[in-house]
mmCIF file of all heavy atoms in Angstrom:
data_model
loop_
_atom_site.group_PDB
_atom_site.id
_atom_site.type_symbol
_atom_site.label_atom_id
_atom_site.label_comp_id
_atom_site.label_asym_id
_atom_site.label_seq_id
_atom_site.Cartn_x
_atom_site.Cartn_y
_atom_site.Cartn_z
ATOM 1 N N GLU A 1498 87.315 69.949 97.866
ATOM 2 C CA GLU A 1498 86.161 69.129 97.697
ATOM 3 C C GLU A 1498 84.886 70.011 97.732
ATOM 4 O O GLU A 1498 84.833 71.068 98.428
ATOM 5 C CB GLU A 1498 85.978 68.099 98.886
ATOM 6 C CG GLU A 1498 84.701 67.226 98.709
ATOM 7 C CD GLU A 1498 84.708 66.221 99.851
ATOM 8 O OE1 GLU A 1498 85.143 66.451 100.898
ATOM 9 O OE2 GLU A 1498 83.980 65.137 99.676
ATOM 10 N N ASP A 1499 83.911 69.744 96.832
ATOM 11 C CA ASP A 1499 82.696 70.569 96.865
ATOM 12 C C ASP A 1499 81.534 69.553 96.663
ATOM 13 O O ASP A 1499 81.619 68.566 95.910
ATOM 14 C CB ASP A 1499 82.703 71.652 95.897
ATOM 15 C CG ASP A 1499 81.651 72.755 96.094
ATOM 16 O OD1 ASP A 1499 80.470 72.566 95.674
ATOM 17 O OD2 ASP A 1499 81.934 73.814 96.624
ATOM 18 N N PHE A 1500 80.338 70.030 97.094
ATOM 19 C CA PHE A 1500 79.089 69.247 97.100
ATOM 20 C C PHE A 1500 78.411 69.356 95.752
ATOM 21 O O PHE A 1500 77.345 68.706 95.520
ATOM 22 C CB PHE A 1500 78.183 69.622 98.240
ATOM 23 C CG PHE A 1500 77.069 68.707 98.622
ATOM 24 C CD1 PHE A 1500 77.269 67.581 99.131
ATOM 25 C CD2 PHE A 1500 75.690 69.081 98.232
ATOM 26 C CE1 PHE A 1500 76.280 66.704 99.490
ATOM 27 C CE2 PHE A 1500 74.716 68.220 98.576
ATOM 28 C CZ PHE A 1500 74.981 67.025 99.272
ATOM 29 N N ALA A 1501 78.824 70.287 94.892
ATOM 30 C CA ALA A 1501 78.166 70.588 93.681
ATOM 31 C C ALA A 1501 77.761 69.337 92.840
ATOM 32 O O ALA A 1501 78.642 68.451 92.598
ATOM 33 C CB ALA A 1501 78.924 71.475 92.847
ATOM 34 N N HIS A 1502 76.514 69.213 92.413
ATOM 35 C CA HIS A 1502 76.065 68.073 91.639
ATOM 36 C C HIS A 1502 75.004 68.442 90.685
ATOM 37 O O HIS A 1502 74.307 67.602 90.164
ATOM 38 C CB HIS A 1502 75.594 67.039 92.514
ATOM 39 C CG HIS A 1502 74.458 67.386 93.529
ATOM 40 N ND1 HIS A 1502 74.734 67.959 94.660
ATOM 41 C CD2 HIS A 1502 73.085 67.362 93.541
ATOM 42 C CE1 HIS A 1502 73.584 68.293 95.379
ATOM 43 N NE2 HIS A 1502 72.603 67.882 94.555
ATOM 44 N N HIS A 1503 74.881 69.826 90.293
ATOM 45 C CA HIS A 1503 73.877 70.279 89.370
ATOM 46 C C HIS A 1503 74.651 71.171 88.374
ATOM 47 O O HIS A 1503 75.714 71.703 88.744
ATOM 48 C CB HIS A 1503 72.867 71.067 90.096
ATOM 49 C CG HIS A 1503 71.755 71.628 89.213
ATOM 50 N ND1 HIS A 1503 72.032 72.718 88.383
ATOM 51 C CD2 HIS A 1503 70.430 71.276 88.944
ATOM 52 C CE1 HIS A 1503 70.833 73.073 87.775
ATOM 53 N NE2 HIS A 1503 69.931 72.243 88.139
ATOM 54 N N PRO A 1504 74.382 71.132 87.119
ATOM 55 C CA PRO A 1504 75.231 71.847 86.119
ATOM 56 C C PRO A 1504 75.474 73.332 86.478
ATOM 57 O O PRO A 1504 76.668 73.777 86.457
ATOM 58 C CB PRO A 1504 74.365 71.762 84.857
ATOM 59 C CG PRO A 1504 73.616 70.555 84.935
ATOM 60 C CD PRO A 1504 73.274 70.347 86.397
ATOM 61 N N THR A 1505 74.527 73.974 87.052
ATOM 62 C CA THR A 1505 74.718 75.482 87.418
ATOM 63 C C THR A 1505 75.714 75.468 88.613
ATOM 64 O O THR A 1505 76.685 76.267 88.653
ATOM 65 C CB THR A 1505 73.476 76.083 87.791
ATOM 66 O OG1 THR A 1505 72.580 76.097 86.772
ATOM 67 C CG2 THR A 1505 73.628 77.512 88.278
ATOM 68 N N ALA A 1506 75.566 74.635 89.651
ATOM 69 C CA ALA A 1506 76.484 74.598 90.687
ATOM 70 C C ALA A 1506 77.942 74.208 90.385
ATOM 71 O O ALA A 1506 78.854 74.806 90.879
ATOM 72 C CB ALA A 1506 75.976 73.603 91.786
ATOM 73 N N ILE A 1507 78.065 73.327 89.400
ATOM 74 C CA ILE A 1507 79.294 72.846 88.923
ATOM 75 C C ILE A 1507 79.974 74.085 88.332
ATOM 76 O O ILE A 1507 81.224 74.435 88.505
ATOM 77 C CB ILE A 1507 79.195 71.703 87.957
ATOM 78 C CG1 ILE A 1507 78.836 70.468 88.696
ATOM 79 C CG2 ILE A 1507 80.604 71.492 87.233
ATOM 80 C CD1 ILE A 1507 78.344 69.266 87.870
ATOM 81 N N ARG A 1508 79.204 74.801 87.374
ATOM 82 C CA ARG A 1508 79.835 75.885 86.653
ATOM 83 C C ARG A 1508 80.213 76.963 87.585
ATOM 84 O O ARG A 1508 81.445 77.466 87.512
ATOM 85 C CB ARG A 1508 78.778 76.439 85.655
ATOM 86 C CG ARG A 1508 79.179 77.721 84.886
ATOM 87 C CD ARG A 1508 78.137 78.169 83.941
ATOM 88 N NE ARG A 1508 76.824 78.420 84.549
ATOM 89 C CZ ARG A 1508 76.603 79.512 85.264
ATOM 90 N NH1 ARG A 1508 77.554 80.513 85.431
ATOM 91 N NH2 ARG A 1508 75.387 79.733 85.829
ATOM 92 N N VAL A 1509 79.496 77.417 88.518
ATOM 93 C CA VAL A 1509 79.846 78.500 89.440
ATOM 94 C C VAL A 1509 80.945 78.183 90.268
ATOM 95 O O VAL A 1509 81.734 79.040 90.672
ATOM 96 C CB VAL A 1509 78.555 79.119 90.070
ATOM 97 C CG1 VAL A 1509 77.568 79.673 89.129
ATOM 98 C CG2 VAL A 1509 77.967 78.135 91.079
ATOM 99 N N THR A 1510 81.035 76.901 90.753
ATOM 100 C CA THR A 1510 82.073 76.465 91.656
ATOM 101 C C THR A 1510 83.430 76.419 90.926
ATOM 102 O O THR A 1510 84.361 76.972 91.443
ATOM 103 C CB THR A 1510 81.764 74.993 92.113
ATOM 104 O OG1 THR A 1510 80.591 75.063 92.860
ATOM 105 C CG2 THR A 1510 82.919 74.564 93.049
ATOM 106 N N LEU A 1511 83.408 76.035 89.653
ATOM 107 C CA LEU A 1511 84.608 76.063 88.818
ATOM 108 C C LEU A 1511 85.011 77.445 88.558
ATOM 109 O O LEU A 1511 86.248 77.825 88.571
ATOM 110 C CB LEU A 1511 84.408 75.346 87.485
ATOM 111 C CG LEU A 1511 84.643 73.849 87.615
ATOM 112 C CD1 LEU A 1511 84.069 73.165 86.482
ATOM 113 C CD2 LEU A 1511 86.117 73.458 87.699
ATOM 114 N N GLU A 1512 84.081 78.326 88.317
ATOM 115 C CA GLU A 1512 84.444 79.836 88.158
ATOM 116 C C GLU A 1512 85.068 80.359 89.387
ATOM 117 O O GLU A 1512 86.005 81.155 89.289
ATOM 118 C CB GLU A 1512 83.195 80.587 87.769
ATOM 119 C CG GLU A 1512 82.688 80.295 86.297
ATOM 120 C CD GLU A 1512 81.282 80.903 86.060
ATOM 121 O OE1 GLU A 1512 80.628 81.408 86.952
ATOM 122 O OE2 GLU A 1512 80.813 80.761 84.913
ATOM 123 N N ALA A 1513 84.585 79.925 90.629
ATOM 124 C CA ALA A 1513 85.127 80.441 91.842
ATOM 125 C C ALA A 1513 86.465 79.827 92.021
ATOM 126 O O ALA A 1513 87.485 80.661 92.550
ATOM 127 C CB ALA A 1513 84.228 80.117 92.931
ATOM 128 N N ILE A 1514 86.769 78.596 91.631
ATOM 129 C CA ILE A 1514 88.078 78.021 91.775
ATOM 130 C C ILE A 1514 88.990 78.766 90.911
ATOM 131 O O ILE A 1514 90.214 79.142 91.246
ATOM 132 C CB ILE A 1514 88.036 76.588 91.373
ATOM 133 C CG1 ILE A 1514 87.224 75.704 92.471
ATOM 134 C CG2 ILE A 1514 89.416 75.867 91.242
ATOM 135 C CD1 ILE A 1514 87.830 75.620 93.741
ATOM 136 N N ARG A 1515 88.594 79.102 89.631
ATOM 137 C CA ARG A 1515 89.462 79.850 88.755
ATOM 138 C C ARG A 1515 89.766 81.270 89.259
ATOM 139 O O ARG A 1515 90.893 81.757 89.153
ATOM 140 C CB ARG A 1515 88.841 79.950 87.366
ATOM 141 C CG ARG A 1515 89.399 80.897 86.311
ATOM 142 C CD ARG A 1515 90.887 80.551 86.070
ATOM 143 N NE ARG A 1515 90.989 79.257 85.333
ATOM 144 C CZ ARG A 1515 91.865 78.392 85.634
ATOM 145 N NH1 ARG A 1515 92.774 78.530 86.739
ATOM 146 N NH2 ARG A 1515 91.960 77.213 85.002
ATOM 147 N N GLU A 1516 88.706 81.851 89.874
ATOM 148 C CA GLU A 1516 88.988 83.220 90.389
ATOM 149 C C GLU A 1516 89.961 83.092 91.549
ATOM 150 O O GLU A 1516 90.857 84.017 91.791
ATOM 151 C CB GLU A 1516 87.675 83.801 90.925
ATOM 152 C CG GLU A 1516 87.670 85.062 91.476
ATOM 153 C CD GLU A 1516 86.281 85.622 91.864
ATOM 154 O OE1 GLU A 1516 85.569 86.165 90.886
ATOM 155 O OE2 GLU A 1516 85.921 85.478 92.948
ATOM 156 N N ARG A 1517 89.907 82.117 92.501
ATOM 157 C CA ARG A 1517 90.833 81.955 93.570
ATOM 158 C C ARG A 1517 92.196 81.630 93.067
ATOM 159 O O ARG A 1517 93.210 82.112 93.779
ATOM 160 C CB ARG A 1517 90.355 80.950 94.552
ATOM 161 C CG ARG A 1517 91.014 80.864 95.836
ATOM 162 C CD ARG A 1517 90.404 79.970 96.871
ATOM 163 N NE ARG A 1517 91.188 79.958 98.056
ATOM 164 C CZ ARG A 1517 90.864 79.166 99.114
ATOM 165 N NH1 ARG A 1517 89.838 78.408 99.098
ATOM 166 N NH2 ARG A 1517 91.649 79.268 100.251
ATOM 167 N N TRP A 1518 92.395 80.734 92.118
ATOM 168 C CA TRP A 1518 93.745 80.379 91.630
ATOM 169 C C TRP A 1518 93.793 80.651 90.206
ATOM 170 O O TRP A 1518 93.723 79.631 89.338
ATOM 171 C CB TRP A 1518 93.942 78.859 91.967
ATOM 172 C CG TRP A 1518 94.028 78.504 93.498
ATOM 173 C CD1 TRP A 1518 95.129 78.910 94.259
ATOM 174 C CD2 TRP A 1518 93.163 77.746 94.284
ATOM 175 N NE1 TRP A 1518 94.845 78.454 95.520
ATOM 176 C CE2 TRP A 1518 93.786 77.807 95.539
ATOM 177 C CE3 TRP A 1518 91.906 77.105 94.022
ATOM 178 C CZ2 TRP A 1518 93.115 77.107 96.671
ATOM 179 C CZ3 TRP A 1518 91.367 76.431 95.043
ATOM 180 C CH2 TRP A 1518 91.942 76.489 96.353
ATOM 181 N N PRO A 1519 93.889 81.859 89.743
ATOM 182 C CA PRO A 1519 93.772 82.202 88.437
ATOM 183 C C PRO A 1519 94.849 81.612 87.445
ATOM 184 O O PRO A 1519 94.747 81.566 86.250
ATOM 185 C CB PRO A 1519 93.871 83.774 88.510
ATOM 186 C CG PRO A 1519 94.553 84.096 89.715
ATOM 187 C CD PRO A 1519 94.152 83.066 90.731
ATOM 188 N N ARG A 1520 96.008 81.279 88.048
ATOM 189 C CA ARG A 1520 97.191 80.871 87.194
ATOM 190 C C ARG A 1520 97.468 79.386 87.345
ATOM 191 O O ARG A 1520 98.515 78.985 86.891
ATOM 192 C CB ARG A 1520 98.434 81.753 87.442
ATOM 193 C CG ARG A 1520 98.243 83.137 86.893
ATOM 194 C CD ARG A 1520 99.430 84.108 87.302
ATOM 195 N NE ARG A 1520 99.377 84.329 88.811
ATOM 196 C CZ ARG A 1520 98.680 85.258 89.337
ATOM 197 N NH1 ARG A 1520 97.907 85.988 88.639
ATOM 198 N NH2 ARG A 1520 98.749 85.361 90.699
ATOM 199 N N ARG A 1521 96.602 78.638 87.970
ATOM 200 C CA ARG A 1521 96.806 77.245 88.236
ATOM 201 C C ARG A 1521 95.890 76.351 87.417
ATOM 202 O O ARG A 1521 94.702 76.812 87.085
ATOM 203 C CB ARG A 1521 96.633 76.906 89.736
ATOM 204 C CG ARG A 1521 97.737 77.588 90.529
ATOM 205 C CD ARG A 1521 97.514 77.459 91.987
ATOM 206 N NE ARG A 1521 97.754 76.135 92.435
ATOM 207 C CZ ARG A 1521 97.760 75.680 93.697
ATOM 208 N NH1 ARG A 1521 97.440 76.568 94.687
ATOM 209 N NH2 ARG A 1521 97.932 74.430 93.980
ATOM 210 N N ARG A 1522 96.396 75.213 86.985
ATOM 211 C CA ARG A 1522 95.532 74.243 86.194
ATOM 212 C C ARG A 1522 94.504 73.557 86.987
ATOM 213 O O ARG A 1522 94.863 73.208 88.161
ATOM 214 C CB ARG A 1522 96.585 73.269 85.421
ATOM 215 C CG ARG A 1522 95.968 72.643 84.270
ATOM 216 C CD ARG A 1522 97.045 71.916 83.466
ATOM 217 N NE ARG A 1522 97.464 70.733 84.340
ATOM 218 C CZ ARG A 1522 97.548 69.456 83.829
ATOM 219 N NH1 ARG A 1522 97.199 69.127 82.674
ATOM 220 N NH2 ARG A 1522 97.957 68.496 84.684
#
């Protein structure tokens, strides 16, 4: 769960999720 609700915050949060779990959907 994340509080992100602005396009920039959504983008960087998703990038961080991808970085943390690089091989998961």
Side-chain angles (χ1 to χ4, degrees):
E1498 183 181 23
D1499 197 275
F1500 196 72
H1502 55 274
H1503 181 285
T1505 299
I1507 293 169
R1508 176 179 56 79
V1509 298
T1510 300
L1511 276 164
E1512 289 171 353
I1514 293 288
R1515 170 58 67 225
E1516 185 176 273
R1517 184 173 186 182
W1518 291 293
R1520 289 175 290 278
R1521 297 174 67 176
R1522 204 171 64 129

